[in-house]
Amino acid sequence: AGAGTGSGLASCAPVAELACGSHAVGDTSDFNSGATDVLDSYPIAVGNYDAPEVTYSFKASTDGLVSFQFVDPDPTAVDHDIVLLFGDIGCNVDSAIERGHSSLSFMAEAGEEYYLVVDGYDGDEGAYEVAVECYASSSSSTSSPDPAIYGECLFGWTSSDMDSAPHL
């Protein structure tokens, strides 16, 4: 069984690292595919999470909004929740910062490690698919573009060069 809150908790074991635009398919009832049963409650959520969970790591490449969402969820068949852990103290329930039912969005900080936990509510376990979408923060009008990235507006740039410079 799992652990409650407090220091010295059992750590979760991420099965893979997620990236922006990726999808993860898994099954919380399949211990051969990485399901664990170490996270049973979260200080940010009331409820019974004694079902097995599957954990993924995510390292933010830029500041901005990140969304984790189940693809075609059916909570009447399998009631999974998404729990976000901040990686500063490791992969355990004390680092929980957000919870969502079918989706979860948060403002990520570039370079920071996060953990996405797919956990069954009240013993539910089964298959799922989760999608990751990222939206970089737009720079404010008071900040100027980095010339090392954007350079000057020059004649002769190709359209692919202009696609990578959204300020043009």
Side-chain angles (χ1 to χ4, degrees), residues 14-42:
V15 297
E17 184 169 342
L18 297 175
C20 296
S22 67
H23 283 230
V25 177
D27 190 328
T28 56
S29 67
D30 185 2
F31 289 97
N32 291 321
S33 68
T36 59
D37 192 6
V38 295
L39 306 177
D40 289 342
S41 64
Y42 302 92

Side-chain angles (χ1 to χ4, degrees), residues 36-139:
T36 59
D37 192 6
V38 295
L39 306 177
D40 289 342
S41 64
Y42 302 92
I44 61 163
V46 175
N48 177 356
Y49 289 94
D50 64 353
E53 68 277 337
V54 176
T55 305
Y56 299 90
S57 63
F58 175 81
K59 189 163 196 166
S61 57
T62 61
D63 289 347
L65 183 69
V66 175
S67 172
F68 299 121
Q69 55 194 339
F70 289 122
V71 176
D72 298 325
D74 185 0
T76 60
V78 178
D79 190 6
H80 283 128
D81 284 355
I82 299 171
V83 181
L84 180 69
L85 310 176
F86 184 57
D88 64 338
I89 62 171
C91 187
N92 66 58
V93 296
D94 282 346
S95 62
I97 55 175
E98 295 282 339
R99 178 189 56 108
H101 296 288
S102 294
S103 66
L104 177 147
S105 296
F106 71 102
M107 291 302 293
E109 295 179 37
E112 294 292 344
E113 182 98 27
Y114 300 90
Y115 299 101
L116 165 74
V117 181
V118 176
D119 205 342
Y121 187 80
D122 197 22
D124 268 5
E125 54 188 62
Y128 63 86
E129 180 178 359
V130 66
V132 182
E133 295 298 329
C134 302
Y135 310 93
S137 294
S138 58
S139 49

